Amino acid sequence: HDPYEFVKVVRGEGKYPSGAVEIQWVNKDYYDRRGMKASADFVGRGEGWRQQRQLLARDLMTPTAYKSYSNAIARAARFASAAAKSGQQHTFLSRASFDMFGAAFFGEQLMSANEETLTPENKKFCESAEVVLEAIMTTGGSPQEYIAHLEGKLTPTTEAHNEAYDYCNEHATRIIHAFIDKKNAGTLTEDQKSSYLLAALNRQELTDTNVDSLVEVLNFLLLAAVDTTSAYVHWVLMALATHQDVQQKVFDELTVALGDNDISRDLISQKQWLPYLHTVQREVHRQRPALAGVAKQTTQPMTLCGYEMQADAAVWLDSFSTQNDTDIMRDAHVFRPERWNTEEVGWVVVVTLSAPLCISAYVSLSFS
């Protein structure tokens, strides 16, 4: 797990980087069975992936884009925070993540983190998303399940995955078509006018094929948001709870910067705002990355850790062990956000934030 070995693979990928989603056969089998070409392209590698990614980069990941929907995300976070209570943190944070991404994607306050405002449809979406994601982690790693897949058979677990994914697609389709109806009627709210969905719709001709493709990609991103974002936020809260001095510094910084106000576009536009919170985010991601490693594929023959690897060899970049190795980083097991103000962790950025970059990580780090 030498970080310099990691860099060889990352830098050699070119414009079509590989990733873990390529080996998630449970989802890929579902896309093939349902004829979902946009989803297959999005989790693949090649020109189809690049085109999908470029659209996202323009309308979701540029400074102008994420500043436009920051107010909506802030309100979603405030609504969710007001409903926070002890116990069931996994469920709460999953729904809160769904709310925040819904605010960015659709410009809607879904308010699913609050039991009093949670609709049956949104509850079922979040529950279905967890079924889909659990199948990726458990069914996807089962030799018996994979053999059944190679034989073209559906098992009870893959059928449950497919049924849950079907509902997520149906719910996302309803939300998007309702949005299009409001757009055509000229009744979009200010948040909806600043959403990713409107920017994406304005960029392409509204054919059935284009709308279906948009539903597929947005649904995939929502599914990912429910799990990866909530897991990361969970670790942030854990770190703050167990490091009272860090918690106090974050509280003081937020109090000075925000007062009683939400995060605003004007505040985000300031250079290097909330610098200490930024270092906390990075330190949490270093110690407890959302994924323990990254699956990659070599694009050319190379030597890695003394082994001769052929082109198209599957490799696992073990970011967790590297980022917590005291032989590589001094006091790696100590939670010390201040380390990010020095040059001692320069290589970690390459490992943890290499393309294809997680959208939620990009927006989160950009906000701070």
Side-chain angles (χ1 to χ4, degrees), residues 56-329:
L56 284 173
R58 294 190 192 105
D59 299 324
L60 189 64
M61 297 171 65
T62 64
T64 300
Y66 62 68
K67 288 174 184 177
S68 70
Y69 53 72
S70 60
N71 288 349
I73 292 180
R75 279 193 292 278
R78 182 177 285 273
F79 290 148
S81 298
K85 54 186 178 181
S86 60
Q88 299 297 318
Q89 288 300 299
H90 172 73
T91 299
F92 167 74
L93 291 174
S94 294
R95 294 175 181 176
S97 298
F98 174 60
D99 289 347
M100 288 186 285
F101 270 75
F105 290 160
F106 311 122
E108 290 192 24
Q109 295 300 326
L110 302 173
M111 295 187 288
S112 63
N114 190 327
E115 290 287 349
E116 295 180 1
T117 54
L118 175 64
T119 66
E121 294 81 9
N122 286 341
K123 180 180 181 181
K124 187 173 180 179
F125 178 93
C126 292
E127 292 173 345
S128 297
E130 292 187 9
V131 171
V132 171
L133 294 164
E134 183 177 359
I136 294 173
M137 302 304 295
T138 57
T139 306
S142 166
Q144 293 86 351
E145 294 283 351
Y146 187 63
I147 291 173
H149 158 68
L150 294 177
E151 294 175 347
K153 299 177 181 178
L154 284 174
T155 66
T157 50
T158 51
E159 286 181 342
H161 165 277
N162 293 355
E163 182 180 340
Y165 212 134
D166 282 342
Y167 180 82
C168 291
N169 276 328
E170 292 167 6
H171 191 44
T173 300
R174 285 193 293 269
I175 293 175
I176 291 178
H177 280 282
F179 187 103
I180 293 173
D181 290 342
K182 293 186 70 174
K183 175 179 180 293
N184 293 337
T187 58
L188 292 176
T189 66
E190 290 304 311
D191 282 348
Q192 288 172 329
K193 291 177 183 178
S194 300
S195 67
Y196 165 76
L197 181 53
L198 182 62
L201 291 171
N202 287 338
R203 192 176 290 279
Q204 58 186 301
E205 183 181 354
L206 286 185
T207 64
D208 290 341
T209 299
N210 286 340
V211 172
D212 289 344
S213 297
L214 191 58
V215 169
E216 290 182 30
V217 173
L218 279 179
N219 192 32
F220 176 87
L221 295 175
L222 278 172
L223 285 168
V226 169
D227 182 64
T228 56
T229 304
S230 62
Y232 174 70
V233 173
H234 206 149
W235 281 119
V236 171
L237 296 178
M238 182 71 73
L240 294 177
T242 54
H243 298 83
Q244 295 292 309
D245 58 329
V246 174
Q247 180 183 142
Q248 186 63 49
K249 291 178 182 178
V250 171
F251 177 80
D252 292 342
E253 185 175 67
L254 289 172
T255 300
V256 172
L258 301 180
D260 293 328
N261 301 315
D262 281 332
I263 293 174
S264 67
R265 180 170 182 168
D266 290 339
L267 185 60
I268 292 174
S269 298
Q270 297 177 18
K271 187 176 182 180
Q272 295 182 337
W273 71 287
L274 299 181
Y276 188 71
L277 178 59
H278 193 178
T279 63
V280 170
Q281 288 181 293
R282 285 178 174 263
E283 183 71 344
V284 170
H285 193 248
R286 179 190 68 81
Q287 279 201 332
R288 295 293 183 266
L291 296 174
V294 180
K296 291 287 184 182
Q297 199 166 24
T298 59
T299 56
Q300 55 189 314
M302 62 178 63
T303 302
L304 295 175
C305 301
Y307 294 93
E308 296 299 324
M309 311 296 292
Q310 300 300 313
D312 295 326
V315 294
W316 177 260
L317 306 184
D318 185 0
S319 56
F320 176 84
S321 297
T322 302
Q323 293 164 199
N324 289 276
D325 190 337
T326 54
D327 290 335
I328 296 175
M329 178 179 292

Side-chain angles (χ1 to χ4, degrees), residues 2-13 302 304 317 347 350-351:
D2 184 341
Y4 295 101
E5 298 296 284
F6 291 14
V7 174
K8 291 181 187 178
V9 180
V10 173
R11 287 181 175 173
E13 287 188 302
M302 62 178 63
L304 295 175
L317 306 184
W347 59 264
V350 177
V351 176

